[in-house]
Amino acid sequence: DQQVKQNSPSLSVQEGRISILNCDYTNSMFDYFLWYKKYPAEGPTFLISISSIKDKNEDGRFTVFLNKSAKHLSLHIVPSQPGDSAVYFCAGEGGGADGLTFGKGTHLIIQP
Amino acid sequence: DAGVIQSPRHEVTEMGQEVTLRCKPISGHDYLFWYRQTMMRGLELLIYFNNNVPIDDSGMPEDRFSAKMPNASFSTLKIQPSEPRDSAVYFCASSSRWSSYEQYFGPGTRLTVT
């Protein structure tokens, strides 16, 4: 049972445009949602989080939106830069557990 | 701070051998997590510790897997005996008590069992 789903394995966006990465979840007990970025041969790095009681959190070029009724969250990156090319993982935390439940990731490719 | 340190970075072993993966969390962090990444299952939590005590090991796949945290600065994940299907990248992560959900990952250990 996949509690966190990222249905797009890859996404290609032109440099300077907006990148939108999507994530759906089934566990309504998650307290926090997080986005991690991963480069090849490195561990995931924390990017941005949002509490389940919020609907938006912004940090520089990165904004995460949460729609609890739809059990959907999205990460917006604007403007997209070449260094943003990486695999992005959506994760949920809570529901009685401290570990993270990850989606399978979306490979974002920023084209010049 | 050096971040989370894992060793070795790469491990190649034969089926049936014992494998030990090591992790040094960020100093002052109270939580330590072990994850495994495979193509089929993605990133999945194996076990986590709070103040050196194992809290949830429900993700450990089989009795062949065991993890210990003898002190606040060191943890091991052991596989005995290893099997080809254990081939994966194993990540260690740590977090503080103030924001346990913001986890900091090590670079991972790529394990290949032949």
Side-chain angles (χ1 to χ4, degrees):
Chain A
D1 174 33
Q2 226 181 323
Q3 296 187 44
V4 178
K5 293 181 183 178
Q6 294 178 258
N7 292 318
S8 298
S10 66
L11 174 68
S12 184
V13 175
Q14 213 161 13
E15 183 179 354
R17 298 287 187 104
I18 183 171
S19 295
I20 301 176
L21 296 105
N22 293 303
C23 178
D24 297 297
Y25 63 95
T26 57
N27 187 346
S28 56
M29 301 295 289
F30 285 136
D31 297 315
Y32 286 93
F33 299 91
L34 303 93
W35 285 93
Y36 279 79
K37 178 179 177 179
K38 186 182 182 303
Y39 293 118
E42 294 183 11
T45 54
F46 170 74
L47 194 57
I48 191 170
S49 65
I50 187 167
S51 164
S52 62
I53 61 173
K54 299 273 181 77
D55 55 19
K56 178 183 175 180
N57 188 26
E58 191 172 350
D59 184 2
R61 296 185 298 114
F62 303 92
T63 304
V64 57
F65 296 92
L66 175 61
N67 182 334
K68 285 190 71 174
S69 61
K71 293 185 178 175
H72 177 84
L73 63 154
S74 60
L75 174 68
H76 292 212
I77 307 172
V78 56
S80 301
Q81 298 175 354
D84 296 331
S85 294
V87 177
Y88 289 78
F89 291 96
C90 169
E93 193 264 5
D98 290 301
L100 297 175
T101 302
F102 283 91
K104 291 199 171 180
T106 296
H107 186 193
L108 176 65
I109 302 162
I110 305 301
Q111 295 184 334
Chain B
D1 199 319
V4 176
I5 299 172
Q6 289 187 248
S7 64
R9 291 296 309 274
H10 301 274
E11 176 80 42
V12 180
T13 190
E14 291 184 347
M15 183 174 66
Q17 296 298 304
E18 178 181 294
V19 175
T20 299
L21 311 181
R22 297 173 177 79
C23 174
K24 176 178 167 49
I26 292 173
S27 176
H29 279 188
D30 300 300
Y31 289 86
L32 184 137
F33 305 83
W34 282 101
Y35 291 89
R36 178 172 70 173
Q37 184 181 25
T38 61
M39 289 292 292
M40 287 291 292
R41 301 175 67 89
L43 261 168
E44 52 180 347
L45 177 68
L46 300 178
I47 185 172
Y48 78 92
F49 296 81
N50 181 15
N51 291 322
N52 314 338
V53 176
I55 303 300
D56 183 358
D57 65 354
S58 60
M60 296 285 260
E62 298 172 36
D63 291 345
R64 299 183 295 105
F65 286 70
S66 63
K68 292 183 180 178
M69 192 165 185
N71 57 63
S73 58
F74 184 66
S75 176
T76 60
L77 178 67
K78 187 175 292 186
I79 308 172
Q80 164 65 14
S82 58
E83 296 182 4
R85 60 189 166 134
D86 301 331
S87 297
V89 181
Y90 291 80
F91 290 102
C92 175
S94 69
S95 65
S96 73
R97 77 187 79 171
W98 311 115
S99 57
S100 62
Y101 55 90
E102 286 187 29
Q103 298 178 16
Y104 294 82
F105 283 74
T109 295
R110 180 174 292 279
L111 173 65
T112 303
V113 183
T114 60

